[in-house]
């Protein structure tokens, strides 16, 4: 994957937030946080360079780019974080004002014909059959019409985190699904399993909020 385009844009949008939360969540002083960020950038670029190009119809490129950024910061920290604080760190670093706006905008489109058609197309694509850093999913509409489930059987984040030796920290990334759904304001996120916790799949359920 080339660094220009989305990876460069994501670094510009989020690197500052990732640096600030090093102080807020982990207690690093400003100088240490700056040094971690300085070390993380070349790590991030190296990770991006090793990733294959994603197919045009693959909607998950942003997910693996975000994972690469978090992985680069973790690998640049002087101490390995625990999963509990990393969960807070990742959510707070990602949920900037622009990201919250993006989630609200996406939330307004949830459950529309276009949204459902996009989920069905993603299920049919099975991008992970050709790219181990992408995802395979199945789409299930709830029989009562309350929403749907995206059930993932292959996960690019799991692949990359295993390669980085950080697989035990993967649940910190999984939890962002709850945070983003809450910010979207139109769906309650429900889940029983994740691949990272030894489940048979990752179930991402979205139920319409009842007013």
């Amino acid at each position: 994957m080339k660094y220009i385009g989305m990876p460069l844009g994501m670094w510009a949008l989020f690197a500052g937030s990732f640096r600030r939360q090093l102080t807020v969540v982990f207690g690093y002083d400003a100088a240490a946080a700056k040094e971690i960020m300085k070390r993380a950038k070349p790590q991030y670029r190296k990770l991006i360079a090793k990733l294959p190009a994603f197919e045009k119809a693959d909607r998950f490129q942003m997910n693996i780019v975000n994972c690469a950024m978090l992985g680069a910061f973790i690998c640049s920290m002087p101490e390995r974080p625990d999963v509990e604080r990393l969960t807070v760190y990742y959510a707070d670093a990602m949920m900037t004002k622009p990201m919250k706006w993006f989630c609200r905008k996406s939330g307004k489109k949830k459950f529309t014909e276009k949204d459902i058609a996009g989920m069905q197309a993603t299920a049919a694509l099975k991008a992970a059959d050709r790219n181990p850093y992408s995802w395979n999913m199945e789409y299930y509409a709830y029989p009562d019409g309350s929403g749907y489930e995206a059930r993932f059987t292959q996960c690019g984040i799991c692949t990359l985190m295993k390669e980085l030796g950080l697989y035990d920290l993967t649940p910190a990334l999984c939890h962002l699904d709850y945070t983003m759904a809450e910010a979207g304001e139109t769906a309650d996120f429900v889940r029983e399993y994740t691949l990272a916790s030894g489940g048979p799949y990752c179930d991402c359920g979205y139920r319409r909020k009842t007013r």
Side-chain angles (χ1 to χ4, degrees), residues 41-52:
K41 188 171 184 179
Q43 287 267 7
Y44 173 65
R45 295 188 67 157
K46 183 179 179 180
L47 288 175
I48 292 299
K50 70 169 285 186
L51 296 173

PDB file of all heavy atoms in Angstrom, residues 41-52:
ATOM      1  N   LYS A  41       6.146   7.423  13.701  1.00  0.00           N
ATOM      2  CA  LYS A  41       5.878   7.773  12.303  1.00  0.00           C
ATOM      3  C   LYS A  41       6.615   6.870  11.317  1.00  0.00           C
ATOM      4  O   LYS A  41       5.992   6.345  10.377  1.00  0.00           O
ATOM      5  CB  LYS A  41       6.206   9.243  12.029  1.00  0.00           C
ATOM      6  CG  LYS A  41       5.757   9.681  10.640  1.00  0.00           C
ATOM      7  CD  LYS A  41       5.882  11.185  10.447  1.00  0.00           C
ATOM      8  CE  LYS A  41       5.324  11.585   9.079  1.00  0.00           C
ATOM      9  NZ  LYS A  41       5.407  13.047   8.873  1.00  0.00           N
ATOM     10  N   PRO A  42       7.929   6.653  11.455  1.00  0.00           N
ATOM     11  CA  PRO A  42       8.586   5.736  10.507  1.00  0.00           C
ATOM     12  C   PRO A  42       8.084   4.298  10.649  1.00  0.00           C
ATOM     13  O   PRO A  42       8.035   3.554   9.667  1.00  0.00           O
ATOM     14  CB  PRO A  42      10.075   5.860  10.859  1.00  0.00           C
ATOM     15  CG  PRO A  42      10.123   6.448  12.222  1.00  0.00           C
ATOM     16  CD  PRO A  42       8.922   7.309  12.347  1.00  0.00           C
ATOM     17  N   GLN A  43       7.703   3.912  11.867  1.00  0.00           N
ATOM     18  CA  GLN A  43       7.129   2.579  12.062  1.00  0.00           C
ATOM     19  C   GLN A  43       5.821   2.458  11.270  1.00  0.00           C
ATOM     20  O   GLN A  43       5.564   1.441  10.612  1.00  0.00           O
ATOM     21  CB  GLN A  43       6.836   2.344  13.554  1.00  0.00           C
ATOM     22  CG  GLN A  43       8.061   2.112  14.402  1.00  0.00           C
ATOM     23  CD  GLN A  43       8.397   0.633  14.543  1.00  0.00           C
ATOM     24  OE1 GLN A  43       7.791  -0.225  13.909  1.00  0.00           O
ATOM     25  NE2 GLN A  43       9.388   0.338  15.377  1.00  0.00           N
ATOM     26  N   TYR A  44       5.007   3.483  11.356  1.00  0.00           N
ATOM     27  CA  TYR A  44       3.732   3.506  10.641  1.00  0.00           C
ATOM     28  C   TYR A  44       3.945   3.425   9.134  1.00  0.00           C
ATOM     29  O   TYR A  44       3.287   2.627   8.446  1.00  0.00           O
ATOM     30  CB  TYR A  44       3.000   4.797  11.020  1.00  0.00           C
ATOM     31  CG  TYR A  44       1.726   5.079  10.263  1.00  0.00           C
ATOM     32  CD1 TYR A  44       0.616   4.255  10.378  1.00  0.00           C
ATOM     33  CD2 TYR A  44       1.621   6.220   9.460  1.00  0.00           C
ATOM     34  CE1 TYR A  44      -0.566   4.539   9.702  1.00  0.00           C
ATOM     35  CE2 TYR A  44       0.448   6.516   8.789  1.00  0.00           C
ATOM     36  CZ  TYR A  44      -0.643   5.675   8.914  1.00  0.00           C
ATOM     37  OH  TYR A  44      -1.809   5.965   8.241  1.00  0.00           O
ATOM     38  N   ARG A  45       4.873   4.215   8.633  1.00  0.00           N
ATOM     39  CA  ARG A  45       5.139   4.199   7.199  1.00  0.00           C
ATOM     40  C   ARG A  45       5.646   2.823   6.755  1.00  0.00           C
ATOM     41  O   ARG A  45       5.299   2.338   5.664  1.00  0.00           O
ATOM     42  CB  ARG A  45       6.156   5.283   6.833  1.00  0.00           C
ATOM     43  CG  ARG A  45       5.655   6.702   7.068  1.00  0.00           C
ATOM     44  CD  ARG A  45       6.589   7.747   6.513  1.00  0.00           C
ATOM     45  NE  ARG A  45       6.634   7.693   5.052  1.00  0.00           N
ATOM     46  CZ  ARG A  45       6.989   8.702   4.288  1.00  0.00           C
ATOM     47  NH1 ARG A  45       7.323   9.869   4.828  1.00  0.00           N
ATOM     48  NH2 ARG A  45       7.031   8.584   2.983  1.00  0.00           N
ATOM     49  N   LYS A  46       6.451   2.185   7.589  1.00  0.00           N
ATOM     50  CA  LYS A  46       6.957   0.854   7.271  1.00  0.00           C
ATOM     51  C   LYS A  46       5.822  -0.160   7.222  1.00  0.00           C
ATOM     52  O   LYS A  46       5.774  -1.025   6.327  1.00  0.00           O
ATOM     53  CB  LYS A  46       7.998   0.443   8.322  1.00  0.00           C
ATOM     54  CG  LYS A  46       8.653  -0.898   8.052  1.00  0.00           C
ATOM     55  CD  LYS A  46       9.696  -1.208   9.124  1.00  0.00           C
ATOM     56  CE  LYS A  46      10.342  -2.562   8.887  1.00  0.00           C
ATOM     57  NZ  LYS A  46      11.366  -2.856   9.947  1.00  0.00           N
ATOM     58  N   LEU A  47       4.897  -0.064   8.169  1.00  0.00           N
ATOM     59  CA  LEU A  47       3.761  -0.983   8.189  1.00  0.00           C
ATOM     60  C   LEU A  47       2.862  -0.767   6.974  1.00  0.00           C
ATOM     61  O   LEU A  47       2.394  -1.732   6.359  1.00  0.00           O
ATOM     62  CB  LEU A  47       2.953  -0.795   9.474  1.00  0.00           C
ATOM     63  CG  LEU A  47       3.595  -1.303  10.760  1.00  0.00           C
ATOM     64  CD1 LEU A  47       2.736  -0.939  11.960  1.00  0.00           C
ATOM     65  CD2 LEU A  47       3.805  -2.808  10.694  1.00  0.00           C
ATOM     66  N   ILE A  48       2.619   0.486   6.628  1.00  0.00           N
ATOM     67  CA  ILE A  48       1.777   0.789   5.471  1.00  0.00           C
ATOM     68  C   ILE A  48       2.411   0.216   4.199  1.00  0.00           C
ATOM     69  O   ILE A  48       1.728  -0.356   3.345  1.00  0.00           O
ATOM     70  CB  ILE A  48       1.570   2.303   5.334  1.00  0.00           C
ATOM     71  CG1 ILE A  48       0.714   2.838   6.500  1.00  0.00           C
ATOM     72  CG2 ILE A  48       0.934   2.659   3.994  1.00  0.00           C
ATOM     73  CD1 ILE A  48      -0.678   2.250   6.580  1.00  0.00           C
ATOM     74  N   ALA A  49       3.714   0.352   4.078  1.00  0.00           N
ATOM     75  CA  ALA A  49       4.409  -0.098   2.873  1.00  0.00           C
ATOM     76  C   ALA A  49       4.309  -1.608   2.668  1.00  0.00           C
ATOM     77  O   ALA A  49       4.336  -2.090   1.536  1.00  0.00           O
ATOM     78  CB  ALA A  49       5.874   0.323   2.926  1.00  0.00           C
ATOM     79  N   LYS A  50       4.182  -2.362   3.754  1.00  0.00           N
ATOM     80  CA  LYS A  50       4.120  -3.818   3.631  1.00  0.00           C
ATOM     81  C   LYS A  50       2.718  -4.318   3.308  1.00  0.00           C
ATOM     82  O   LYS A  50       2.544  -5.476   2.928  1.00  0.00           O
ATOM     83  CB  LYS A  50       4.616  -4.481   4.912  1.00  0.00           C
ATOM     84  CG  LYS A  50       3.682  -4.327   6.117  1.00  0.00           C
ATOM     85  CD  LYS A  50       4.082  -5.231   7.274  1.00  0.00           C
ATOM     86  CE  LYS A  50       3.691  -6.662   6.976  1.00  0.00           C
ATOM     87  NZ  LYS A  50       3.921  -7.569   8.119  1.00  0.00           N
ATOM     88  N   LEU A  51       1.713  -3.459   3.473  1.00  0.00           N
ATOM     89  CA  LEU A  51       0.341  -3.879   3.224  1.00  0.00           C
ATOM     90  C   LEU A  51       0.038  -3.873   1.732  1.00  0.00           C
ATOM     91  O   LEU A  51       0.470  -2.968   1.013  1.00  0.00           O
ATOM     92  CB  LEU A  51      -0.641  -2.938   3.939  1.00  0.00           C
ATOM     93  CG  LEU A  51      -0.570  -2.921   5.468  1.00  0.00           C
ATOM     94  CD1 LEU A  51      -1.472  -1.822   6.016  1.00  0.00           C
ATOM     95  CD2 LEU A  51      -0.964  -4.279   6.041  1.00  0.00           C
ATOM     96  N   PRO A  52      -0.694  -4.850   1.237  1.00  0.00           N
ATOM     97  CA  PRO A  52      -1.057  -4.852  -0.183  1.00  0.00           C
ATOM     98  C   PRO A  52      -2.093  -3.782  -0.482  1.00  0.00           C
ATOM     99  O   PRO A  52      -2.776  -3.280   0.425  1.00  0.00           O
ATOM    100  CB  PRO A  52      -1.648  -6.256  -0.393  1.00  0.00           C
ATOM    101  CG  PRO A  52      -2.170  -6.639   0.957  1.00  0.00           C
ATOM    102  CD  PRO A  52      -1.223  -6.028   1.950  1.00  0.00           C
TER     103      PRO A  52
END
